[in-house]
Amino acid sequence: MPQLSDLIGSFVDDKICYDTGYQAPSQPATHTTQPIVTGSSVLGLKYKGGVILAADTLGSYGSLARFRDIRRITTVGKNILVGASGDYSDFQKIQELLEEVVAEDYCLDDGRTHTAKEIHSYLGRVLYGRRNKMDPLWNTLVIAGVENGNSFLGQVDLLGTQFEDDTLATGFGSHIARPLLRNAYNENLTEEEARKIVLDCMRVLFYRDARTIIKIQ
């Protein structure tokens, strides 16, 4: 009759025989390469003395209109707005980073806060850095703000590409709403006129974009 020590020895020998050791993965680790819950268009328009952003509140789970009250425009400090298309969980990560920037400004307590242009540059570096690590934040961001009476409107995509303009649109709105915004824009627009233009564009997107709803933030 075999002894227990003989069985243990055979078991150990078998494990050693079949143990192939650690093998490095053939591909780098990836995360958000297939967005799950996504938001569609964000529209931005400058007017005289200010800037306006608009986005619907739908979070789509694939083609399912799953979440009907998500907020894709957030405030940064007192006079900056950041809106996002794309993966909502990645936008939540971006919100955490922006909250750290605001907290740092508060702790320094030197009477100065980051401007919209600085936040635009910061987010561009963040998204570019994540892209280089093959771990992108799957968002297109619109940054808006007013500083000393001057309006700012800029965009950053998931590759870290940055630019500024008087009218901006992301998602499906870049194809449908952007031409309407460009046709309607002039530098002397009032706030009421800008609001009407943006609402008209959101209405067109509601008719034409299958990933949006009528509720607007």
Side-chain angles (χ1 to χ4, degrees):
M1 181 176 181
Q3 299 296 316
L4 179 61
S5 59
D6 296 331
L7 295 175
I8 293 175
S10 298
F11 174 74
V12 172
D13 289 342
D14 288 344
K15 291 294 288 182
I16 294 173
C17 178
Y18 289 102
D19 184 14
T20 58
Y22 174 77
Q23 293 182 351
S26 59
Q27 298 293 331
T30 57
H31 299 274
T32 311
T33 54
Q34 293 182 340
I36 305 300
V37 177
T38 59
S40 188
S41 306
V42 178
L43 307 185
L45 177 65
K46 284 184 180 181
Y47 61 87
K48 190 173 183 179
V51 61
I52 186 170
L53 289 189
D56 65 86
T57 62
L58 179 65
S60 299
Y61 184 80
S63 60
L64 174 67
R66 178 65 181 84
F67 304 101
R68 295 176 174 268
D69 192 24
I70 66 170
R71 304 304 168 120
R72 296 188 291 116
I73 298 177
T74 188
T75 58
V76 181
K78 296 181 179 180
N79 60 351
I80 303 171
L81 295 174
V82 177
S85 294
D87 189 81
Y88 192 67
S89 62
D90 281 354
F91 180 51
Q92 290 175 316
K93 174 62 177 179
I94 290 171
Q95 285 179 293
E96 292 178 3
L97 296 175
L98 293 174
E99 287 169 3
E100 292 177 4
V101 172
V102 173
E104 183 179 357
D105 282 343
Y106 179 80
C107 291
L108 288 174
D109 194 23
D110 58 359
R112 186 189 182 283
T113 58
H114 284 78
T115 65
K117 191 175 184 68
E118 290 168 343
I119 294 296
H120 179 246
S121 179
Y122 167 72
L123 291 174
R125 298 306 88 208
V126 168
L127 269 66
Y128 182 72
R130 290 290 294 263
R131 166 260 183 117
N132 286 343
K133 294 177 181 178
M134 305 300 174
D135 182 19
L137 293 168
W138 208 275
N139 296 108
T140 301
L141 306 175
V142 177
I143 299 92
V146 179
E147 186 73 21
N148 299 322
N150 298 318
S151 303
F152 176 87
L153 187 61
Q155 181 172 317
V156 182
D157 67 12
L158 79 166
L159 300 178
T161 306
Q162 303 169 242
F163 59 90
E164 305 171 24
D165 207 341
D166 297 321
T167 65
L168 288 176
T170 67
F172 199 59
S174 62
H175 304 286
I176 299 296
R178 189 78 187 277
L180 302 177
L181 291 171
R182 283 172 169 165
N183 289 337
Y185 172 76
N186 70 76
E187 60 184 13
N188 294 316
L189 284 175
T190 65
E191 181 179 351
E192 291 75 17
E193 291 171 337
R195 182 186 295 268
K196 182 179 183 304
I197 292 167
V198 169
L199 287 176
D200 288 343
C201 291
M202 293 300 294
R203 185 178 295 108
V204 171
L205 287 173
F206 175 68
Y207 294 151
R208 300 297 182 185
D209 187 355
R211 302 290 182 269
T212 188
I213 55 176
I214 197 62
K215 189 174 181 181
I216 300 172
Q217 182 184 0

